[in-house]
């Protein structure tokens, strides 16, 4: 004979399962074959707005009167106990608890066998507010992208159409200016698309970095040269500390360029005065990293905004861009195993500091 389970063991097991269910992020309510509630977890009681002690023993259909959006009783439309004997439950659906809130409801019907009567009904409740916030974020993202794409594409369409139809009417300098504008706006669209792809990878946890040895000060100098080539005064940029012996750093060079381009462009566009950059080693031997600091002499960012800076759609006092760049930068830095912070520079402007671990990745050692 098999070994039985004692009453005390059964009670301990029941308490353990109840404690686990209370930790579940979704609300869970269980009713018996008569529709009477036999279990309510803490999250369900919170969503429904009634203490678990008052729900236990009550008829599920009257204790939690779920309604369709048109006011019909959901329990009348889908009776688990008297409905089709082949049903195993219901998919997630947005329903209303009168006087309370909208909830996402999923139901599972437990039967002793196929075609047998329902012995238990397990109903899961999820607060719809989180879903609404996600939908609002997606709507805001679509709106932002549409707005940001419209301007450069309008410019590209306008200048290219003008050149095709009136090529002979313009001087070489005028043609060059229009083509430069088309190229700059095409680059802007490309950056936006790259940001969107990176956001989807960051959110899905699928952002990959292909690490190789990189010369971080050299990468910074290349970006400085690009700013100078685009018309900025070289004296506005100061790279300090790069002559100190730096440990070998492995990073994805393309991703590092994205990080530097975003932070340096922010300093140039939204800051003022000299843009100071530094690369210094930090940590102890065997656990070394480098810290890259980029600061300006502008008005800076108020400390109250620091927690929001690396979130989606954050904009400073001077609006511009999608508000997605710093969100992507944080994801790229963290994908390398580093961290990024923001604070006030000694000169009064904003100071961004990110770290990158030193040494080759384990799989290439």
């Amino acid at each position: 004979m098999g070994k039985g389970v004692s009453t005390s063991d059964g009670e301990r097991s029941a308490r353990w399962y109840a404690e686990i269910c209370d930790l579940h992020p979704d609300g869970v309510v269980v009713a018996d074959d008569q529709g009477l509630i036999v279990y309510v977890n803490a999250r369900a009681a919170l969503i429904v707005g009634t203490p678990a002690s008052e729900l236990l023993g009550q008829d599920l259909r009257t204790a939690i009167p779920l309604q369709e959006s048109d006011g019909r009783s959901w329990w009348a439309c889908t009776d688990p106990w008297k409905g089709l004997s082949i049903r195993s439950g219901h998919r997630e659906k947005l329903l209303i608890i009168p006087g309370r809130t909208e909830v996402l409801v999923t139901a599972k019907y437990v039967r002793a066998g196929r075609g047998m009567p329902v012995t238990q009904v397990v109903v899961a409740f999820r607060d719809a507010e989180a879903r609404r916030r996600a939908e609002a974020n997606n709507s805001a993202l679509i709106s932002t992208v549409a707005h940001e794409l419209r301007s450069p594409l309008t410019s590209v369409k306008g200048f290219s159409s003008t050149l095709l139809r009136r090529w002979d009417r313009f001087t070489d300098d005028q043609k060059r200016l229009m083509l430069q504008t088309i190229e700059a706006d095409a680059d802007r669209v490309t950056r936006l698309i790259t940001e969107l792809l990176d956001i989807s990878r960051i959110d899905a946890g699928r952002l990959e970095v292909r690490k190789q040895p990189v010369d971080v000060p050299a990468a910074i100098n290349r970006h400085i040269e690009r700013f100078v080539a685009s018309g900025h005064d070289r004296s506005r940029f100061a790279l300090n500390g790069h002559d100190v012996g730096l440990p070998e750093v492995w990073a994805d060079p393309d991703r590092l360029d994205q990080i530097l381009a975003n932070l340096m462009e922010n300093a140039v566009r939204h800051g003022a005065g000299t843009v100071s950059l530094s690369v210094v080693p930090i940590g102890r031997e065997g656990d070394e990293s480098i810290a890259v600091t980029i600061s300006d002499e502008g008005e800076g960012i108020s400390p109250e905004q620091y927690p929001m800076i690396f979130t989606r759609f954050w904009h400073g006092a001077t609006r511009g861009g999608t508000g997605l760049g710093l969100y992507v930068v944080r994801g790229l830095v963290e994908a390398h195993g580093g961290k990024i912070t923001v604070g006030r520079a000694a000169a009064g402007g904003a100071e961004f500091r990110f770290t990158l671990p030193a040494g080759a990745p384990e799989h290439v050692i």
Side-chain angles (χ1 to χ4, degrees):
M1 294 180 64
K3 185 177 179 180
V5 179
S6 69
T7 302
S8 59
D9 287 341
E11 289 175 352
R12 282 196 295 270
S13 179
R15 285 197 302 271
W16 184 82
Y17 280 115
E19 290 172 359
I20 292 297
C21 287
D22 273 341
L23 296 175
H24 200 281
D26 292 343
V28 179
V29 176
V30 181
D32 64 12
D33 59 345
Q34 301 300 313
L36 301 181
I37 298 174
V38 295
Y39 175 76
V40 182
N41 75 347
R43 182 61 180 165
L46 183 63
I47 293 174
V48 173
T50 305
S53 58
E54 295 181 18
L55 292 171
L56 291 172
Q58 300 296 314
D59 190 296
L60 175 61
R61 293 156 287 194
T62 56
I64 308 177
L66 298 170
Q67 290 184 353
E68 301 268 8
S69 58
D70 58 6
R72 293 181 301 164
S73 169
W74 186 65
W75 296 116
C77 298
T78 173
D79 189 333
W81 294 271
K82 298 179 181 178
L84 293 175
S85 60
I86 59 172
R87 280 185 176 171
S88 60
H90 273 274
R91 298 178 185 176
E92 187 177 73
K93 185 167 185 177
L94 183 65
L95 298 171
I96 301 168
I97 301 176
R100 286 290 302 169
T101 185
E102 292 180 324
V103 290
L104 295 160
V105 178
T106 308
K108 174 67 177 177
Y109 305 160
V110 180
R111 303 176 186 273
R114 183 175 176 81
M116 300 292 287
V118 171
T119 57
Q120 282 188 329
V121 174
V122 181
V123 184
F125 297 90
R126 181 173 296 171
D127 192 340
E129 186 60 31
R131 176 74 60 87
R132 289 196 178 280
R133 285 196 297 269
E135 291 173 350
N137 280 340
N138 289 335
S139 296
L141 180 60
I142 292 170
S143 176
T144 298
V145 170
H147 175 76
E148 290 296 321
L149 285 175
R150 180 183 300 167
S151 177
L153 289 179
T154 300
S155 171
V156 169
K157 174 65 176 175
F159 280 123
S160 60
S161 296
T162 300
L163 287 171
L164 284 171
R165 289 168 175 77
R166 302 179 181 179
W167 179 268
D168 296 333
R169 298 186 184 184
F170 298 104
T171 65
D172 288 346
D173 287 341
Q174 289 173 325
K175 292 173 184 176
R176 184 178 296 105
L177 177 60
M178 285 189 275
L179 289 172
Q180 287 172 342
T181 303
I182 290 173
E183 182 183 38
D185 284 333
D187 289 341
R188 182 176 165 189
V189 172
T190 301
R191 284 197 301 271
L192 177 58
I193 292 172
T194 300
E195 282 184 352
L196 294 174
L197 291 173
D198 285 339
I199 285 172
S200 67
R201 296 183 184 114
I202 291 168
D203 290 345
R206 295 185 292 104
L207 183 66
E208 295 183 359
V209 292
R210 295 175 174 83
K211 294 183 178 182
Q212 62 186 63
V214 294
D215 186 336
V216 178
I220 293 174
N221 274 315
R222 286 196 300 271
H223 282 278
I224 291 176
E225 292 302 322
R226 289 171 189 164
F227 279 106
V228 172
S230 64
H232 293 276
D233 193 330
R234 186 183 299 275
S235 63
R236 190 176 179 189
F237 302 92
L239 177 56
N240 307 304
H242 63 286
D243 55 337
V244 179
L246 296 174
E248 181 182 61
V249 173
W250 284 59
D252 187 319
D254 293 332
R255 299 302 193 180
L256 177 60
D257 278 340
Q258 275 184 262
I259 295 168
L260 293 173
N262 194 298
L263 296 177
M264 292 176 69
E265 186 173 338
N266 280 349
V268 170
R269 180 184 298 177
H270 304 295
T274 301
V275 176
S276 299
L277 305 104
S278 70
V279 186
V280 296
I282 58 174
R284 296 173 296 181
E285 187 175 353
D287 186 26
E288 290 180 299
S289 299
I290 65 163
V292 180
T293 303
I294 301 170
S295 61
D296 62 75
E297 299 174 347
E299 296 181 0
I301 303 167
S302 64
E304 294 79 12
Q305 294 184 309
Y306 290 168
M308 300 178 290
I309 286 175
F310 298 107
T311 60
R312 290 187 185 187
F313 310 121
W314 179 83
H315 289 88
T318 56
R319 295 181 65 87
T322 61
L324 301 172
L326 290 176
Y327 177 81
V328 172
V329 165
R330 183 184 67 176
L332 294 177
V333 171
E334 291 178 351
H336 281 84
K339 294 182 179 180
I340 184 167
T341 57
V342 63
R344 181 169 292 277
E351 179 178 280
F352 287 88
R353 179 179 185 269
F354 68 90
T355 62
L356 294 174
E362 291 183 3
H363 67 277
V364 296
I365 293 178

